[in-house]
């Protein structure tokens, strides 16, 4: 059995965006995702944020909110905190936009700026360098996503002492036109911070466990997917 | 902690199917990097890449499928309870290219979650599987995760598959980033000027030692340690001081309970870009000091195979240990100053039981594996 405390939650979806400590209402609502400005995410100037692709902005915003909620946004020394994200579509919309710059002129006008964002793990690198996070950073994808796979991997990393804390969650834009919709959560980004031990002065959203049979429980009650986990965590915040 | 054995492998590279043509090519100092015929490359910085020979797709399908078939078909039996981890950076990206040019073709294989399903279905496995994307360290981290599952007793058998294609999509991007070498890449050479892209695929079946013994499997080697760390420095460039790679290697050594002195050789990422290779040599010096540890890169021979690189290099590392030889770094003429006494254009002998394999990638990712002889 693996377990950790949820000490931070951040999200961006069609209904709202923010972090747990703000007390905002959270709902899993399908629909158009907000296009967040730099000022809605960072207090300080951030020249890169506005230049990122939509997928990276979405994911980075939710990771930032989760770290802020857990009191881990400010830093002086790099920290052994890892990042694991699930995605169904990845940066497919960015891929399509990038390849549209390749087609004319036999590729002579291909955009290096866009190409850098055609890996779905790039936004994790953006988060790592902004917040000094040196832990493992990877993206996972599965055929029938529940959003819990990255949490399971994060629990493993904590149990094996590969990281002091883990940020794990899911990031997906509305699928581009012509791409079949996959089962799963409505588009958006949802991230939680997981820590082995509680720190004083940080939120306690409950203990997440993964049983031997691979099932997940929040505060002892089974949880089916990441959306339910976030909804229940926020409802029971202490 | 359970010992992690590698009990079966398969590999396809630009030299052809299986390890022997790759091994023979390396020992002969040959490169499989050749003029591109897959797409028009005249407007790009380079016109060469290492493509798998004879790779042809049926109408409407991705080249990923025939490559996957050539990889998986020679594998021996895979246990039905085997977990599946795949690793790719861009999967069936050729389909998106064709869509972009107006061709009607199914696009499901472009989705990152499609690959583990393809592998599990082809092999009749129950596990739905998981794909890992960590840029050019994707299959390295998939191997690390699979090994960690076995070591912790979470799984008894894990199949890891790394695969990526040479595509105009990726080729044009590296060209736009000015990262391609005009000629075949020259890892660790003083006059290196960029990487060459390659395609390939590799599969490794990992098994706990008791399970391997019960099944009568022969261990080809062990995966003794693994580590991963982020530079937290830049999204496309490595940290010049090698800080992330140093952390990854140190974690791998700690997991394996080994000292730096017990590492016999290194299969490096060695892309042939100025900054990557310099960063790696800096990191190796920080961990291993000035001792003349043999270092090699495959990428002057088979190009940079992106998400498949770590898996291909792990199989290569096991063969090096088995034969006690580190083949030449193809393309190397004049070693970079920091690499003198380490990298070589000729084969080097290996004295020891463990070989370190490293990969780094976009997003600041670094990963390290320690492969051991079967007896270790």
């Amino acid at each position: 059995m693996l377990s950790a405390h949820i000490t931070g939650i951040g999200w961006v979806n069609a209904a709202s965006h923010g972090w747990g400590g703000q007390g905002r209402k959270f709902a899993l609502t399908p629909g158009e995702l907000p296009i967040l400005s730099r000022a809605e995410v960072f207090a300080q100037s951030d020249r890169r944020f506005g230049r990122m692709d939509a997928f990276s902005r979405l994911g980075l915003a939710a990771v930032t909110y989760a770290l802020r909620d857990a009191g881990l946004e400010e830093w002086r020394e790099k920290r052994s905190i890892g990042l694991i994200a699930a995605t169904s579509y990845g940066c497919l919309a960015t891929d399509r936009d990038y390849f549209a710059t390749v087609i004319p002129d036999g590729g002579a006008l291909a955009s290096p700026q866009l190409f850098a964002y055609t890996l779905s793990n790039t936004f994790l690198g953006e988060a790592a360098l902004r917040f000094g996070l040196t832990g493992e950073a990877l993206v996972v994808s599965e055929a029938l996503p529940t959003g819990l796979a990255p949490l399971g991997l994060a629990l493993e990393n904590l149990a094996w002492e590969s990281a002091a804390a883990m940020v794990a969650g899911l990031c997906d834009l509305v699928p581009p036109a012509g791409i079949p919709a996959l089962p799963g959560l409505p588009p958006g980004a949802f991230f939680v911070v997981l820590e082995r031990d509680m720190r004083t002065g940080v939120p306690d959203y409950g203990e997440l466990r993964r049983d031997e049979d691979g099932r997940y429980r929040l505060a002892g009650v089974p949880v089916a997917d990441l959306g339910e986990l976030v909804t229940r965590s926020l409802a029971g915040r202490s | 902690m359970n010992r992690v054995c590698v009990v079966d492998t398969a590999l396809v590279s630009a030299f052809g199917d299986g390890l022997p043509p790759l091994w023979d090519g390396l020992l002969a100092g040959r490169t499989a990097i050749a003029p591109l015929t897959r797409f028009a490359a005249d407007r790009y910085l380079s016109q060469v890449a290492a493509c798998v020979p004879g790779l042809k797709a049926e109408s409407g399908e991705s080249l990923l499928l025939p490559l996957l078939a050539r990889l998986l078909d020679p594998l021996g039996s895979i246990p039905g309870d085997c977990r599946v981890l795949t690793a790719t950076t861009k999967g069936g990206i050729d389909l998106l290219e064709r869509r972009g040019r107006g061709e009607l073709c199914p696009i499901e294989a472009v989705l990152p979650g499609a690959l583990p399903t393809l592998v599990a279905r082809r092999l009749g496995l129950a596990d739905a599987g998981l794909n890992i994307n960590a840029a050019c360290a994707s299959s390295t981290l998939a191997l690390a995760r699979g090994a960690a599952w076995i070591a912790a007793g979470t799984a008894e058998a894990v199949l890891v598959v790394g695969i990526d294609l040479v595509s105009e999509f990726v080729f044009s991007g590296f060209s736009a980033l000015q990262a391609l070498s005009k000629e075949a890449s020259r890892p660790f050479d003083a006059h290196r000027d960029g990487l060459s892209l390659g395609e390939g695929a590799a599969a490794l079946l990992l098994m706990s030692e008791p399970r391997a013994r019960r099944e009568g499997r022969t261990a080809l080697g062990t995966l003794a340690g693994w580590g991963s760390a982020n530079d937290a420095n830049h999204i496309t460039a490595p940290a010049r001081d090698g800080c992330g790679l140093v952390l990854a290697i140190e974690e791998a050594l700690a997991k394996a309970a080994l000292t730096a002195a017990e590492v016999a050789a290194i299969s490096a990422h060695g892309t042939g870009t100025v900054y990557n290779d310099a960063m790696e040599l800096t990191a190796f010096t920080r961990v291993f000091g000035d001792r003349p540890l043999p270092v090699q890169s495959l990428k002057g021979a088979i190009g940079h195979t992106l998400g498949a690189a770590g898996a291909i290099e792990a199989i290569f590392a096991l063969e090096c240990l088995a034969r006690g030889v580190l083949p030449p770094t193809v393309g190397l003429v004049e070693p970079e100053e920091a690499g003198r006494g380490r990298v070589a254009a000729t084969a080097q002998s290996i004295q020891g039981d463990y070989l370190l394999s490293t990969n780094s990638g976009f997003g600041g990712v670094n990963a390290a594996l320690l492969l051991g002889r079967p007896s270790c």
Side-chain angles (χ1 to χ4, degrees), chain A residues 2 5 24 30 52 57 99 129 136 149-150 156 189 202 205 216 229:
Chain A
L2 305 173
H5 295 273
R24 285 187 185 169
M52 287 179 202
R57 265 183 286 167
F99 200 65
L129 71 92
E136 184 172 62
E156 290 169 354
V202 299
Y205 294 104
Y216 293 82
L229 177 84

Side-chain angles (χ1 to χ4, degrees), chain B residues 50-99:
Chain B
C51 294
V52 169
L55 199 59
K56 285 197 173 64
E58 298 290 325
S59 171
E61 76 174 17
S62 168
L63 281 171
L64 201 69
L65 298 184
L67 181 55
L68 197 59
R70 279 169 61 173
L71 176 74
L72 298 180
D73 288 353
L75 272 177
S77 69
I78 307 292
D81 64 343
C82 186
R83 303 276 299 271
V84 175
L85 285 172
T86 64
T88 185
T89 61
K90 296 311 297 178
I93 193 67
D94 52 337
L95 293 179
L96 185 131
E97 294 175 354
R98 287 152 64 178
R99 275 273 187 116

Side-chain angles (χ1 to χ4, degrees), chain A residues 78 95 98 118 136 139 157, chain B residues 90 131 133 145 172-173 231:
Chain A
K78 291 180 183 177
D95 291 353
Y98 166 71
T118 61
E136 184 172 62
V139 168
N157 282 19
Chain B
K90 296 311 297 178
N131 186 69
N133 185 346
R145 183 65 58 169
S172 61
D231 288 337

Side-chain angles (χ1 to χ4, degrees), chain B residues 24-315:
Chain B
D24 293 345
L26 290 170
L27 286 182
R30 287 201 310 269
T31 182
I33 299 166
L36 261 166
T37 54
R38 185 168 295 170
F39 50 84
D42 49 304
R43 302 297 301 273
Y44 298 127
L45 199 57
S46 168
Q47 287 80 44
V48 297
C51 294
V52 169
L55 199 59
K56 285 197 173 64
E58 298 290 325
S59 171
E61 76 174 17
S62 168
L63 281 171
L64 201 69
L65 298 184
L67 181 55
L68 197 59
R70 279 169 61 173
L71 176 74
L72 298 180
D73 288 353
L75 272 177
S77 69
I78 307 292
D81 64 343
C82 186
R83 303 276 299 271
V84 175
L85 285 172
T86 64
T88 185
T89 61
K90 296 311 297 178
I93 193 67
D94 52 337
L95 293 179
L96 185 131
E97 294 175 354
R98 287 152 64 178
R99 275 273 187 116
R101 295 204 154 95
E103 190 179 329
L104 284 175
C105 54
I107 201 150
E108 281 78 2
V110 176
L111 295 173
L115 182 58
T117 307
L118 288 170
V119 171
R121 275 192 195 148
R122 188 164 192 99
L123 297 172
L125 303 177
D127 187 37
L130 203 59
N131 186 69
I132 289 180
N133 185 346
C136 303
S138 296
S139 55
T140 325
L141 289 190
L143 282 166
R145 183 65 58 169
W149 283 347
I150 290 172
T154 307
E156 288 191 344
V158 182
L159 180 70
V160 177
V161 173
I163 187 166
D164 259 316
L165 298 172
V166 166
S167 64
E168 185 171 6
F169 183 99
V170 174
F171 197 90
S172 61
F174 278 102
S175 178
L177 287 172
Q178 306 292 308
L180 293 181
S181 175
K182 287 187 174 62
E183 310 292 334
S185 63
R186 299 169 63 180
F188 298 114
D189 193 277
H191 303 291
R192 66 190 181 278
D193 62 355
L195 59 85
S196 297
L197 285 167
E199 69 190 353
L204 293 95
L205 179 58
L206 310 180
M207 213 171 256
S208 70
E209 190 174 36
R211 177 68 179 265
R213 205 179 300 123
R214 278 204 310 277
E215 294 201 3
R217 307 255 189 177
T218 303
L220 306 171
T222 62
L223 224 170
W226 47 90
S228 169
N230 198 288
D231 288 337
N233 178 68
H234 195 275
I235 61 161
T236 57
R240 293 202 182 190
D241 63 358
C243 55
L245 185 56
V246 169
L247 284 174
I249 296 169
E250 288 175 345
E251 186 185 351
L253 287 167
K255 281 245 162 50
L258 293 173
T259 64
E262 291 173 276
V263 175
I266 301 174
S267 169
H269 194 46
T271 59
T273 64
V274 171
Y275 293 116
N276 174 82
D277 294 5
M279 177 280 286
E280 283 195 282
L281 291 170
T282 300
F284 297 154
T285 300
R286 284 179 61 182
V287 177
F288 299 100
D290 292 328
R291 80 176 164 113
L293 188 64
V295 174
Q296 200 270 3
S297 166
L298 280 182
K299 294 182 177 70
I302 59 168
H304 186 352
T305 54
L306 307 173
I312 291 173
E313 288 158 16
I315 295 172

